[in-house]
């Protein structure tokens, strides 16, 4: 089976072109390829498949084999793969995901896609649809008790559930301890991705992310979008925000008039390979 390893600001996945390859058990394959000692090493597996409603379908699996609805860094890499590997010659394409159809604008330099702007759609703020157990029509600055300590979270779905928590020090956070306790907290029926955020100024924030099913990753595109929406809802930033992640920066804009979130960032091929 041929594969391509790609990364979007350090959020790395193994990509399989299912226009040509067939994967019988994607969950098992995701666990196998994600292992950084005995496999290829990645945050998960993404299958690029034919679609009846878009230019392609992205089927995304986390490192633990669970199916994910959406991955912002992953979908940018899908756009790059489609163009760079000759599956399309268009610079605007659509990608079917479990979180809906995403429209991608491809920025080409020297015949290759250098960065991608993704229309991530509208943020979901209704607690039952995220889902999170909370009263009221939004979970903004909502108190939550985790491991005996009270935190305040703002919950947003970008097709997958996120809890944004503001902290004074992101760098020295014990994310390996607190992350799993948020992920499996009883208030999140389908578990949750948790972003720990420090606001640097009105246009810049810093974040680390504990991803549901994958532990801490270097970047999370849907998480960066959720963080920008959260910051704007809490009055902490303007509508355009640079989100600084461990793997690099993403530019996020929430157009509140259209109620659309746009994410712009790079996509990079690491290497091509073959798995026996």
């Amino acid at each position: 089976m041929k594969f391509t390893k790609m990364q979007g600001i350090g959020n790395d996945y193994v990509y399989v072109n299912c226009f040509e390859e067939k994967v019988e058990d994607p969950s098992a394959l995701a666990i196998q390829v994600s292992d950084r000692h005995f496999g290829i090493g990645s945050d998960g597996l993404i299958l690029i498949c034919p679609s009846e409603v878009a230019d392609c379908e992205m089927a995304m699996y986390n490192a633990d084999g669970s199916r994910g609805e959406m991955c912002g860094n992953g979908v940018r890499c899908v756009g790059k793969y489609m163009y760079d590997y000759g599956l399309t010659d268009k610079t605007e394409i659509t990608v079917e995901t479990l979180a809906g159809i995403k429209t991608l604008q491809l920025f080409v330099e020297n015949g290759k896609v250098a960065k991608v702007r993704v229309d991530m759609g509208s943020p979901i703020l209704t607690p039952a649809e995220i889902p999170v157990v909370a009263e009221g029509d939004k979970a903004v600055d909502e108190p939550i008790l985790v491991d005996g300590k009270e935190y305040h979270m703002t919950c947003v779905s970008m097709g997958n559930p996120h809890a944004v928590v503001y902290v004074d020090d992101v760098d020295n956070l014990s994310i390996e301890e607190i992350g799993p306790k948020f992920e499996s907290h009883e208030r999140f029926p389908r578990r949750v991705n948790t972003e720990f955020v420090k606001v640097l100024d009105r246009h810049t924030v810093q974040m680390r992310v504990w991803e549901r099913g994958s532990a801490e990753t270097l970047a999370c595109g849907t998480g960066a979008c959720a963080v920008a929406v959260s910051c704007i809802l809490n009055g902490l930033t303007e509508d355009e925000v640079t989100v600084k992640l461990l793997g690099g920066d993403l530019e996020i804009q929430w157009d509140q008039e259209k109620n659309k979130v746009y994410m712009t960032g790079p996509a990079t091929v690491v290497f091509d390979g073959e798995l026996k």
Side-chain angles (χ1 to χ4, degrees):
M1 185 189 75
K2 292 180 179 177
F3 69 87
T4 300
K5 173 144 173 192
M6 304 179 76
Q7 57 92 5
I9 61 169
N11 200 187
D12 61 337
Y13 286 86
V14 171
Y15 293 77
V16 177
N17 176 2
C18 290
F19 285 81
E20 298 177 0
E21 303 280 353
K22 188 168 183 180
V23 176
E24 299 289 349
D25 188 346
S27 292
L29 183 63
I31 294 168
Q32 179 188 349
V33 300
S34 298
D35 192 298
R36 297 190 184 274
H37 299 286
F38 297 100
I40 297 162
S42 66
D43 291 324
L45 170 72
I46 290 179
L47 308 181
I48 304 172
C49 308
S51 169
E52 294 182 358
V53 294
D55 291 300
C56 67
E57 179 190 2
M58 177 180 88
M60 173 235 172
Y61 293 83
N62 296 308
D64 66 356
S66 61
R67 181 82 186 262
E69 298 94 337
M70 175 57 187
C71 173
N73 293 311
V75 79
R76 290 202 314 277
C77 290
V78 168
K80 178 176 175 64
Y81 189 101
M82 288 287 291
Y83 188 92
D84 288 10
Y85 287 79
L87 297 176
T88 186
D89 58 1
K90 299 189 291 185
T91 55
E92 184 171 296
I93 68 166
T94 53
V95 179
E96 179 187 358
T97 77
L98 287 182
I101 295 173
K102 305 301 177 189
T103 301
L104 280 59
Q105 186 177 353
L106 312 178
F107 296 92
V108 178
E109 295 177 8
N110 302 317
K112 302 283 186 185
V113 172
K115 67 178 181 177
V116 181
R117 185 177 192 247
V118 185
D119 177 350
M120 298 289 284
S122 302
I124 296 165
L125 303 174
T126 305
E129 295 177 23
I130 291 174
V132 57
V133 177
E135 295 180 5
D137 59 348
K138 293 188 183 82
V140 175
D141 197 29
E142 173 94 6
I144 182 172
L145 198 64
V146 179
D147 201 27
K149 181 179 175 183
E150 185 176 280
Y151 295 84
H152 284 252
M153 64 179 180
T154 296
C155 296
V156 180
S157 172
M158 292 303 306
N160 54 359
H162 295 272
V164 179
V165 179
Y166 295 96
V167 295
D168 294 328
D169 185 357
V170 174
D171 295 318
N172 296 306
L173 180 74
S174 299
I175 197 168
E176 296 82 4
E177 291 178 25
I178 193 64
K181 289 170 182 173
F182 268 93
E183 178 182 352
S184 57
H185 196 281
E186 60 188 12
R187 291 183 66 181
F188 304 107
R190 286 170 31 207
R191 298 187 293 161
V192 77
N193 305 284
T194 311
E195 287 76 32
F196 299 93
V197 178
K198 181 178 182 181
V199 178
L200 302 180
D201 57 45
R202 294 287 300 175
H203 295 278
T204 319
V205 301
Q206 178 189 6
M207 79 172 239
R208 285 172 70 185
V209 58
W210 183 268
E211 285 203 58
R212 178 185 58 167
S214 293
E216 182 176 24
T217 59
L218 294 179
C220 176
T222 55
C225 293
V227 164
V229 170
S230 169
C231 288
I232 295 160
L233 286 173
N234 284 282
L236 301 172
T237 66
E238 306 301 326
D239 289 359
E240 294 189 36
V241 185
T242 297
V243 182
K244 305 182 85 62
L245 305 103
L246 292 178
D249 296 353
L250 289 174
E251 304 298 325
I252 312 295
Q253 177 194 5
W254 183 17
D255 185 332
Q256 294 192 64
E257 199 171 294
K258 294 180 181 176
N259 195 26
K260 294 265 191 171
V261 179
Y262 299 95
M263 172 192 62
T264 305
T268 306
V269 172
V270 183
F271 60 84
D272 296 301
E274 203 167 287
L275 190 67
K276 295 190 184 298

